[in-house]
Amino acid sequence: MVASKYAKCDLMKSEFTQRANNLPAHGLGLSVDVYSPDLLELVRALRDAQLEPGYLEVFKATTSALEWMRQQLPDIKLSYHGEGLWSTQPEFPRSGSGRQGVMEACAHLAALRSAWLNHECATKHMAGYAFGTYLPPLYTEVSARKTAENLAYLQDQVDQDARQRGIDPALVLLEMPPLTYFGCGACSIPEFFRTVTEQASCGLVLDIGHLWTVYRYTGGWQQQRLEDYVAEFLDAFPLERVIEIHVAGLAELTIPHASESGANGHALPYWIDAHGAPIPGVLFDLLEQVLAHPGLTSLKGVALEVDTKSIGLIVEEFGQFRKRFESTVHEKVRCEREIPLPPQRFPIGRSADGCRLTPQEEAALRHQYRNYVQLVTTQTAPSSVSDFALLGGSVEDLGRYRDTYLPHELLHWGGELQDMFPDTCRRLAEADVPLARFVPFWFSRPRPEQDDYDFFLLKVDRFVEFATQACPAAAMIVLREADELRAAYRAANEPIGSSQVRA
Ligand SMILES: [Fe+2]
């Protein structure tokens, strides 16, 4: 077993190297959404300011929207930011996200002619429960091995599809996710990604803002200066696998109608990942530190993630970014290969060999993910759950996620319930049914994963169930409002696609 582990590790390393060597340098780019803000308008504004990006990483949209974007922007490298592929979860290969989601992702890669498929190492669907924004994986050794197994499956599927289309296969990249106030598990985050990369040939995306949240919510900030913490983190992290770096905004959660936004007497703000918010200066200082690290040997691109940000602010920040980092990034990503390599052919079915989870490990992991859901959604989690190790953060911060962030996500995020269902909400208020009861209702029982994850439509369906059950007199009203919402949503997303809300 030990020998096979090392053999697999060497194989994955050399496979990664071959794949990475075939990727073109991308340079300084932007990670964007087709719709928010309007991508063509953004490109026009950047060109007017003589700030043509080296590439655009486009977030998941419909295949036709991505094909159309490829036609409109023939001269810019486009890469793909996937969504809905929950590869941290034990059931991934058999789930809707593992079947339909992967097929769809392959079509999107071909539409954009993307060199890579980036996806967060996080999920919005866990043990039958849906969430509006990403939850990080359990940071344990077994969970890392499962993630690696699932990534090998994903890369196999991408390779097979590329062969059928006669195109170069995209490299699967796994992005280190943000912590939204907490993280759980017994191994450190660098250790987790080290285990994944020993078992899979994937590349990685290092997000600088996410790294700041790790410093903030694992308690690192109480022990070390940021630069020292990051220096140690980078030494332990598999930096040689990092293909892309992201930089995005951070902000505190703002709750509509609340009198205070969580102001605190702590030394650091309660920032969380927020793509629409300005990028704090501290992140550019961190980027400089990361770019100077000698372990960063496979970098191909650095992108500002700017979906949901105003065009004016994007142009301003991209200009500053270019001025400060252009020469360093170009130096780092330059392609030293002069003779193009022959097309790659890797054996399909690598996911079947060595280091798979045993049935017992798989069952235990499923059980742990059920406990994870209980821990983050329930005030009174059983004692077997409450001794789950936090990644060095505080129980109060986990409470902040459960008691503030999660209700906000369900009641206000991705569609304000009061605006979506005004008549139903009025009727519920008359019947003394507080909207806050929707939160425990949402988590009252697991439901099967849907083929195409869409938080907005899920929210509509669940609210119909909730209102009908909590106030039968509101049944007709909520059904009518739900029909109107679904019709408006369909109309708004035609002809170029469904708008997935990105976290
Ligand atoms: Fe990111």
Side-chain angles (χ1 to χ4, degrees), residues 100-153:
Q100 172 153 342
V102 172
M103 271 166 47
E104 210 175 31
C106 289
H108 294 170
L109 290 167
L112 293 173
R113 299 202 288 281
S114 174
W116 61 67
L117 159 55
N118 173 31
H119 200 287
E120 293 280 344
C121 182
T123 187
K124 295 180 183 174
H125 199 272
M126 192 182 277
Y129 296 89
F131 295 80
T133 54
Y134 293 122
L135 279 167
L138 274 173
Y139 284 108
T140 65
E141 196 256 348
V142 170
S143 156
R145 282 168 49 215
K146 187 72 226 180
T147 303
E149 210 177 291
N150 287 340
L151 289 175
Y153 160 80

Side-chain angles (χ1 to χ4, degrees), residues 66-385:
L66 298 176
E67 281 167 345
W68 185 77
M69 207 42 82
R70 179 71 281 174
Q71 281 168 12
Q72 299 300 307
L73 301 170
D75 305 324
I76 301 183
K77 284 191 189 73
L78 299 180
S79 63
Y80 183 53
H81 192 316
E83 160 78 345
L85 305 172
W86 313 135
S87 64
T88 61
Q89 297 304 290
E91 58 278 2
F92 173 65
R94 293 172 298 280
S95 65
S97 64
R99 290 193 314 269
Q100 172 153 342
V102 172
M103 271 166 47
E104 210 175 31
C106 289
H108 294 170
L109 290 167
L112 293 173
R113 299 202 288 281
S114 174
W116 61 67
L117 159 55
N118 173 31
H119 200 287
E120 293 280 344
C121 182
T123 187
K124 295 180 183 174
H125 199 272
M126 192 182 277
Y129 296 89
F131 295 80
T133 54
Y134 293 122
L135 279 167
L138 274 173
Y139 284 108
T140 65
E141 196 256 348
V142 170
S143 156
R145 282 168 49 215
K146 187 72 226 180
T147 303
E149 210 177 291
N150 287 340
L151 289 175
Y153 160 80
L154 177 57
Q155 186 69 68
D156 270 357
Q157 300 295 307
V158 170
D159 288 354
Q160 283 188 45
D161 184 82
R163 269 183 208 182
Q164 280 162 12
R165 293 178 197 265
I167 57 175
D168 274 347
L171 174 61
V172 172
L173 307 184
L174 191 64
E175 179 168 347
M176 185 187 84
L179 294 185
T180 304
Y181 308 123
F182 78 96
C184 285
C187 76
S188 72
I189 292 179
E191 243 179 292
F192 178 92
F193 282 93
R194 175 68 62 195
T195 303
V196 171
T197 52
E198 282 171 358
Q199 310 287 314
S201 63
C202 65
L204 300 175
V205 175
L206 182 64
D207 185 306
I208 303 292
H210 296 182
L211 179 54
W212 188 93
T213 65
V214 169
Y215 174 66
R216 175 67 178 85
Y217 298 115
T218 59
W221 67 283
Q222 287 165 314
Q223 283 138 29
Q224 281 175 296
R225 290 185 324 139
L226 180 60
E227 304 85 287
D228 298 337
Y229 178 88
V230 167
E232 275 181 27
F233 185 99
L234 297 178
D235 286 346
F237 193 79
L239 214 52
E240 70 284 0
R241 289 289 185 98
V242 172
I243 294 286
E244 192 189 22
I245 293 174
H246 279 175
V247 190
L250 292 170
E252 289 200 4
L253 177 68
T254 49
I255 302 174
H257 318 303
S259 53
E260 51 108 32
S261 67
N264 60 84
H266 289 73
L268 286 184
Y270 282 108
W271 281 343
I272 53 175
D273 193 37
H275 295 182
I279 299 169
V282 64
L283 297 193
F284 284 127
D285 295 342
L286 276 189
L287 174 63
E288 197 168 306
Q289 188 179 353
V290 172
L291 289 172
H293 196 288
L296 190 69
T297 51
S298 306
L299 188 70
K300 301 294 173 187
V302 183
L304 304 187
E305 278 191 293
V306 295
D307 51 292
T308 71
K309 188 171 273 186
S310 74
I311 289 180
L313 185 54
I314 297 171
V315 173
E316 188 189 320
E317 289 184 335
F318 192 63
Q320 291 164 357
F321 169 57
R322 278 256 298 247
K323 206 166 156 196
R324 182 163 169 189
F325 293 103
E326 187 165 35
S327 61
T328 318
V329 171
H330 281 157
E331 175 77 9
K332 274 278 177 195
V333 303
R334 77 170 186 273
C335 212
E336 285 165 352
R337 172 167 46 81
E338 283 166 10
I339 307 160
L341 297 173
Q344 309 159 74
R345 288 185 80 82
F346 295 103
I348 303 296
R350 293 175 311 288
S351 51
D353 43 281
C355 308
R356 272 179 170 276
L357 260 56
T358 63
Q360 291 81 357
E361 285 175 323
E362 178 109 15
L365 185 61
R366 284 172 190 280
H367 183 70
Q368 283 175 344
Y369 269 115
R370 283 197 292 276
N371 281 350
Y372 186 126
V373 172
Q374 267 197 295
L375 180 74
V376 302
T377 62
T378 319
Q379 296 273 2
T380 50
S383 58
S384 63
V385 174

